[in-house]
Amino acid sequence: MSTLGQFDIAGRSALVTGAASGLGLAYAEVLAEAGAAVTLSDIDGARAFEEAERLRSEGREVRAATLDVADRRATQAAVAAHVAAYGGLDIAFANAGIDSGDGFWNPDGHRNPDAQIDTLDPAWWDRTLAVNLTGVFNTLREAARVMKDAGKGGSIVVTSSNAAQINVPVVGLAYMPAKAGLAHLVRHAALELAEFRIRVNAIAPGPFVTNIGGGKVKTDPAARAFWDRQIPLGSIAVTEQIKPLALLLASDASSYMTGSHVVIDGGMQLGNFR
């Protein structure tokens, strides 16, 4: 097979969680554009159905589903419905995630009195881990079960974060341990599932222009400028920039990759000394 041919995913099917907007929508768009049949699932079912309708109008083979990944039975049902619709599951993007509120430090350089470890509302911790860690486990578990039963291998891609490896004081406390947990989950699952030719890798984004954190970077110039200053390459990313990496990990072009944690953050992990 040619090098470019290894990126071909035509005829395969993919399930993307958290696909109504942001990175999840970007994943769904590139997978559908590359010829896969895609389910866009999201807790915001109305938005997922709107985006699916738009993609169908562009000639893509897609469907939509309402899903809260923290609900294990609902996740199992969503995967089963995808398999019923498309005859199997070749690619799964466990992407759904939420922010965890304000960090202990504000971008303006002051402590946030309501987000200290001894003052924050524990509900932030509970919900963040339920979605960002347990929700990914739920998705990975169901995808692995279906792929093992089919015996054809597959690719599972988890959205982690550069916050799995660095501390970001303006980000809510629960977000970083949840993402660090994903890094270990990916490595463990990759080792366990390698025998079945199921590859498990993580994309670790830095700041992107999405709805996370209330979408402030879209509407607040000061918030956008703050994040731009953190990036050695000069600016926060747009979701189009993650699509090539998503296609790489979904396709046979990454056939010798598993257990990887691929950082895409404009150099933020390196520190910015400009």
Side-chain angles (χ1 to χ4, degrees), residues 102-106 110-120:
D102 295 328
F104 72 83
W105 201 256
N106 287 320
H110 296 89
R111 280 187 173 267
N112 184 343
D114 296 323
Q116 309 300 298
I117 195 168
D118 56 329
T119 61
L120 64 84

Side-chain angles (χ1 to χ4, degrees), residues 11 50 93 97 104 106 135 140 153 159 175 177-178 182 207 217 237 265:
E50 288 176 6
F93 273 73
F104 72 83
N106 287 320
L140 195 158
T159 300
Y175 190 83
L182 289 184
V217 293
D265 70 351

Side-chain angles (χ1 to χ4, degrees), residues 128-153:
T128 302
L129 266 67
V131 175
N132 292 9
L133 184 55
T134 302
V136 170
F137 165 74
N138 292 340
T139 306
L140 195 158
R141 178 178 186 272
E142 292 307 315
R145 181 183 57 78
V146 169
M147 291 175 180
K148 284 174 69 175
D149 287 348
K152 299 186 300 180

